[in-house]
Amino acid sequence: MNFTLKIWRQENAKTKGRFETYEITDVSSDCSFLEMLDILNEQLVDKIEKPVVFDHDCREGICGMCSLYINGRPHGNDDGVTTCQLHMRKFKDGETIIIEPWRSRAFPVLKDLVVDRSALDKIIQAGGYISATTGGVPDGNAIPIRKDKADTAMDAAACIGCGGCVAACPNASAMLFVGAKVSHLAHLPQGKIEAMKRVEAMVARMDELGFGYCSNAAACEFECPKGIKIEHIAKLNREFISAKVGSQLPKEGGSFSI
């Protein structure tokens, strides 16, 4: 298979980027998208040209590092896959493929197709965890949890933090990511202790980092490689409202009014 590749090249976040065109031939239809980029880079190195910088790690659809915007879609023109799981048989022979980095103010370009997605880590650091005292901590499997709650928590926990939801959203919102992280712990007894503090801290950090607002376009759900549902955004909103109301409840001997 032969392809024309239009790839975004950019030295860093402060320099102006541009598309460069490359021709690649005799690509196997069973080749993965990242393997195709590997072949291109080998050819560029052989010609003493700068290879295209792109991110990857596990290449098994687990880590979410392979964040590429391909022909107008995060992770390319297949459903439920990350870029590393996308194969060239999903494209037509002779097709022109446009490859870009994630587009978000919160994800500055490091170089070419690589962006700094540490903003998602900072949101997790703000509250996406549980604390436990040392000593005889009971086994998690010994705590009774309703199956529907456990299933919902597991569905939310499937989020790999790739940022595809941000790239798909017209407002570059991280609400699906934050919703998944908050919903995951909100459905489990282990997450109840810090519930109010967690959701307020994570939402505040998300806003500080420059992510946009959610307008219920649902593009995030459509493009999520792990099928995270926007119902977790609804859970996030309920948790946030409960936390805001709860923080205004009267302390002992106090009064409460809105």
Side-chain angles (χ1 to χ4, degrees):
M1 301 180 73
N2 304 324
F3 300 100
T4 298
L5 307 177
K6 292 187 176 181
I7 302 178
W8 186 260
R9 306 300 302 266
Q10 185 172 343
E11 284 299 315
N12 54 59
K14 296 182 179 180
T15 59
K16 187 176 181 180
R18 76 282 179 193
F19 279 106
E20 291 192 3
T21 302
Y22 304 93
E23 302 291 337
I24 188 167
T25 60
D26 298 325
V27 177
S28 169
S29 61
D30 293 326
C31 188
S32 76
F33 198 86
L34 295 189
E35 288 171 339
M36 181 273 295
L37 290 179
D38 289 335
I39 295 171
L40 172 66
N41 279 342
E42 288 178 2
Q43 295 176 358
L44 292 176
V45 171
D46 288 343
K47 293 188 289 186
I48 321 297
E49 296 182 23
K50 290 183 179 180
V52 176
V53 179
F54 62 95
D55 219 344
H56 63 91
D57 191 1
C58 71
R59 297 202 178 197
E60 295 178 345
I62 297 171
C63 70
M65 294 292 288
C66 53
S67 49
L68 297 180
Y69 203 73
I70 304 166
N71 282 351
R73 291 187 62 182
H75 297 297
N77 59 342
D78 199 1
D79 298 327
V81 299
T82 53
T83 299
C84 62
Q85 296 173 302
L86 179 67
H87 289 83
M88 300 314 296
R89 56 179 171 268
K90 289 293 180 178
F91 300 90
K92 297 178 181 178
D93 187 25
E95 184 174 349
T96 296
I97 304 175
I98 302 173
I99 311 169
E100 305 171 73
W102 283 171
R103 302 291 191 182
S104 171
R105 182 174 61 178
F107 294 159
V109 173
L110 295 178
K111 188 168 185 177
D112 292 345
L113 303 174
V114 178
V115 299
D116 181 358
R117 295 179 302 132
S118 62
L120 300 182
D121 297 326
K122 293 174 182 175
I123 294 173
I124 293 294
Q125 291 165 1
Y129 56 84
I130 61 170
S131 61
T133 56
T134 58
V137 180
D139 182 81
N141 293 325
I143 302 174
I145 304 173
R146 281 171 36 190
K147 186 178 187 303
D148 61 326
K149 295 288 186 181
D151 289 346
T152 301
M154 285 298 293
D155 289 342
C159 172
I160 56 177
C162 68
C165 53
V166 179
C169 178
N171 302 319
S173 171
M175 285 286 281
L176 188 66
F177 168 78
V178 178
K181 299 307 178 183
V182 168
S183 181
H184 164 216
L185 294 176
H187 282 91
L188 299 176
Q190 295 94 330
K192 297 298 183 184
I193 299 173
E194 290 117 343
M196 289 197 296
K197 181 174 69 174
R198 172 186 305 113
V199 67
E200 289 189 281
M202 293 180 74
V203 169
R205 195 73 174 114
M206 174 181 65
D207 292 341
E208 289 172 10
L209 292 167
F211 291 101
Y213 58 90
C214 175
S215 57
N216 293 317
C220 54
E221 178 183 308
F222 183 80
E223 298 292 5
C224 177
K226 298 302 177 182
I228 306 297
K229 303 297 183 183
I230 58 173
E231 65 188 45
H232 296 297
I233 297 179
K235 178 64 173 175
L236 166 64
N237 289 333
R238 291 194 295 270
E239 289 289 314
F240 185 74
I241 293 171
S242 296
K244 283 299 183 183
V245 173
S247 65
Q248 298 180 58
L249 290 176
K251 306 300 181 182
E252 186 175 353
S255 61
F256 171 68
S257 63
I258 298 179

